[in-house]
């Protein structure tokens, strides 16, 4: 730095190639769409704004750039203006004084000193893209566009200027059909980063708060880790439902159980052994009972005695009064393994007489009634829940975590409530 002259030092803040994180750099190769997936605050907007700058600006302020006409598309016109153009990481904030474009609000255009133009569009009005043509486009938060596929299709027809028209998409991943189709296209490349990747530019208190509240949850995996979550159409649970069931700490619990869906084989390719800990408040009428899913201690790729020890460790950690396990495949072996780990473990064997989806439906009803809460750290379990449909499980592998959850809530809520509803026999 000491060896640089004053003019070079003044230019450094605007040379984004020096400061950019890996996920903010355009990938090499021949691509049509570059999708930047990231958590909140991961630097997606800055990457999009700098990419637009790199196309619009030339070597000197009035030299032509690689693109003369650029489309800026967000869910609404206000979001184009407030985030993509005037935002803290928007185009104007990133531009040096001698190359800063002028925003003409009445025309919804951004005009650079060299004559390059960017025009604002709303995803609520895809027909506005019918007619104009562009050499590049920046699409922000595509996953939340209400008319996502229609707007994206109109934008593709408009990208027809120049030798190599391209589009940059910056978005938090959501399970939106338009985004899923885009990511599956062979002409699409992507970069990805979690919120933590940009921690140097974020308030420490923000990171501490959101991690404490959302780390390990399904919402946290999407909004902080930037993970594309797989919601299945017609699933018994949805991301929105589970997001409303989060709770930091449980109240005093009347019962705690550890439920096990045993693995019948060992090795890296074997199914996991689902181990879920749940508790319940069972005071008052059965319809007032509430359940709390405390932890997911599922293990995979370990031998039978290892997962049995993991079950006993979960019992000791949470003070569980009983272990319940499905024994359709393992038979007496499941109890034998658990008693090798702890001869005095309270154990109940459960036999599955219905399909997985049929067993899961009454548990899903408890969630619909607002009678189940999730503590942090259950993201992988929640992923499986959002892929279970009345027709069966549509995810990869076996829903071991979900099976264990179903058995836990059956033991805590459904079975006792059904027993109390039985006609009482009067003994003379």
């Amino acid at each position: 730095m000491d060896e640089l002259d004053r003019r070079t030092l003044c230019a450094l803040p605007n040379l984004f190639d020096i400061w950019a994180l890996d996920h903010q750099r355009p990938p090499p190769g021949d691509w049509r769409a570059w999708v930047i997936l990231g958590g909140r605050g991961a630097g997606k907007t800055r990457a999009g704004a700098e990419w637009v700058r790199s196309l619009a600006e030339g070597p000197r302020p009035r030299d032509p750039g690689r693109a003369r006409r650029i489309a800026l598309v967000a869910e609404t016109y206000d979001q184009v203006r407030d985030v993509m153009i005037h935002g803290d990481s928007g185009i104007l904030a990133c531009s040096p004084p001698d190359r800063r474009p002028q925003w003409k609000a009445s025309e919804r255009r951004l005009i650079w000193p060299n004559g390059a133009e960017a025009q604002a569009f709303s995803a609520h009005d895809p027909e506005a893209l019918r007619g104009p043509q562009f050499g590049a486009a920046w699409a922000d938060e595509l996953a939340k566009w209400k008319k996502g596929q229609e707007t994206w299709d109109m934008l593709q027809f408009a990208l027809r200027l120049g030798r190599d028209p391209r589009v940059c998409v910056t978005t938090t991943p959501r399970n939106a059909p338009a985004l899923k189709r885009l990511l599956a296209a062979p002409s699409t490349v992507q970069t990805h980063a979690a919120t933590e990747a940009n921690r140097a530019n974020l308030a420490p208190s923000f990171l501490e708060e959101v991690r404490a509240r959302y780390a390990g949850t399904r919402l946290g995996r999407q909004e902080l880790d930037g993970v594309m979550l797989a919601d299945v159409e017609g699933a018994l649970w949805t991301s929105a439902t589970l997001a409303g069931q989060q709770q930091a700490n449980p109240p005093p619990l009347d019962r705690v159980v550890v439920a096990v869906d045993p693995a019948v084989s060992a090795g890296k390719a074997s199914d996991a052994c689902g181990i879920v800990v749940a508790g319940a408040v069972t005071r008052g009428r059965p319809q007032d009972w509430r359940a709390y899913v405390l932890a997911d201690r599922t293990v995979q790729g370990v031998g039978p005695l290892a997962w049995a020890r993991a079950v006993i460790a979960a019992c000791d950690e949470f003070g569980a009064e009983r272990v319940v396990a499905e024994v359709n495949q393992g038979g007496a072996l499941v109890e034998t393994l658990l008693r090798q780990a702890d001869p005095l473990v309270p154990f109940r064997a459960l036999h599955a007489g219905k399909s997985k989806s049929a067993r899961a439906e009454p548990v899903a009803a408890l969630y619909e009634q607002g009678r189940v809460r999730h503590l942090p750290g259950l993201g992988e379990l929640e992923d499986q829940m959002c892929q279970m449909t009345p027709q069966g499980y549509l995810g990869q592998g076996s829903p071991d975590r979900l099976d264990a959850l179903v058995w836990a809530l059956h033991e805590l809520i459904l079975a006792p409530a059904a027993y109390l509803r039985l006609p009482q026999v009067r003994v003379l």
Side-chain angles (χ1 to χ4, degrees):
M1 295 287 287
D2 292 338
E3 296 174 357
L4 300 177
D5 59 52
R6 182 176 178 276
R7 293 181 64 183
T8 305
L9 286 172
C10 290
L12 277 181
N14 300 112
L15 299 177
F16 190 61
D17 285 345
I18 297 176
W19 312 109
L21 301 171
D22 288 342
H23 70 281
Q24 295 175 313
R25 303 177 190 276
D30 184 18
W31 47 266
R32 170 80 170 184
W34 169 31
V35 180
I36 307 174
L37 297 175
R40 298 286 187 93
K44 304 184 297 296
T45 303
R46 177 69 185 271
E50 294 287 359
W51 183 75
V52 169
R53 273 193 59 211
S54 72
L55 299 178
E57 296 176 6
R60 292 175 297 184
R62 297 193 178 275
D63 289 348
R66 287 178 290 165
R68 297 284 293 176
R69 301 194 65 187
I70 302 169
L72 304 177
V73 189
E75 186 178 21
T76 66
Y77 286 114
D78 288 348
Q79 289 173 5
V80 177
R81 181 193 64 213
D82 297 341
V83 177
M84 302 172 75
I85 296 174
H86 288 286
D88 292 337
S89 298
I91 295 171
L92 294 180
C94 296
S95 300
D98 60 341
R99 298 159 188 258
R100 184 169 292 131
Q102 179 184 4
W103 170 242
K104 292 191 174 183
S106 60
E107 301 177 17
R108 293 175 177 159
R109 292 180 188 272
L110 200 61
I111 303 177
W112 275 263
N114 65 359
E117 295 184 2
Q119 187 173 351
F121 293 91
S122 166
H124 287 297
D125 184 19
E127 288 298 310
L129 285 161
R130 188 184 295 274
Q133 54 184 354
F134 304 96
W138 173 21
D140 189 47
E141 294 297 350
L142 168 66
K144 72 172 187 173
W145 294 358
K146 297 294 188 296
K147 299 180 179 179
Q149 192 61 56
E150 187 178 353
T151 304
W152 180 257
D153 291 340
M154 290 297 101
L155 179 61
Q156 299 315 295
F157 287 120
L159 283 172
R160 56 182 186 264
L161 287 183
R163 297 179 58 186
D164 187 22
R166 294 183 170 187
V167 57
C168 174
V169 178
T170 52
T171 186
T172 302
R174 293 186 181 180
N175 197 37
L179 179 58
K180 290 170 66 176
R181 292 191 188 99
L182 173 60
L183 293 174
S187 60
T188 297
V189 295
Q190 63 175 289
T191 56
H192 169 268
T195 300
E196 292 283 350
N198 197 36
R199 59 185 177 276
N201 298 307
L202 300 173
S205 58
F206 163 76
L207 287 174
E208 292 174 6
E209 178 67 20
V210 295
R211 278 297 176 194
R213 181 170 298 185
Y214 301 111
T217 68
R218 187 171 172 83
L219 183 62
R221 282 161 59 77
Q222 173 179 282
E223 300 294 332
L224 299 179
D225 298 333
V227 175
M228 174 73 79
L229 303 179
D231 277 15
V232 172
E233 185 175 355
L236 298 178
W237 290 271
T238 66
S239 295
T241 299
L242 294 175
Q245 308 287 351
Q246 305 299 318
Q247 184 164 322
N249 296 292
L253 301 171
D254 298 318
R255 294 187 67 206
V256 176
V257 301
V258 176
V260 186
D261 181 59
V264 296
S265 60
K268 294 182 179 180
S270 66
D271 290 335
C273 175
I275 305 172
V276 170
V277 186
V281 176
T282 56
R283 294 181 288 273
R285 301 174 301 170
Q287 56 266 40
D288 296 328
W289 294 357
R290 298 291 183 270
Y292 299 83
V293 186
L294 306 176
D296 179 0
R297 294 292 186 262
T298 298
V299 294
Q300 186 168 14
V302 301
L305 192 55
W307 63 249
R309 288 172 178 157
V311 172
I312 301 304
C315 286
D316 295 340
E317 180 182 354
F318 291 93
E321 68 177 48
R322 186 179 297 277
V323 175
V324 296
E326 179 185 334
V327 297
N328 282 40
Q329 298 186 68
L333 177 62
V334 175
E335 182 175 1
T336 300
L337 289 168
L338 290 170
R339 296 207 182 280
Q340 286 183 29
D342 182 355
L344 301 179
V345 60
F347 175 78
R348 185 196 303 278
L350 301 173
H351 297 269
K354 299 180 180 179
S355 67
K356 295 179 184 293
S357 57
R359 296 197 305 269
E361 287 190 21
V363 174
L366 294 177
Y367 282 81
E368 293 176 1
Q369 296 164 4
R371 296 173 61 188
V372 185
R373 291 288 183 268
H374 279 200
L375 271 65
L378 303 173
E380 292 178 288
L381 167 62
E382 292 168 349
D383 285 348
Q384 290 191 355
M385 296 171 70
C386 291
Q387 297 178 78
M388 176 60 80
T389 73
Q391 291 74 40
Y393 182 63
L394 301 185
Q396 295 183 346
S398 176
D400 311 280
R401 303 169 193 270
L402 174 57
D403 282 346
L405 169 74
V406 168
W407 288 124
L409 297 185
H410 180 275
E411 175 71 14
L412 289 169
I413 303 291
L414 297 175
Y419 174 79
L420 291 176
R421 286 195 296 268
L422 290 175
Q424 300 298 310
V425 178
R426 185 175 182 184
V427 179
L428 299 178

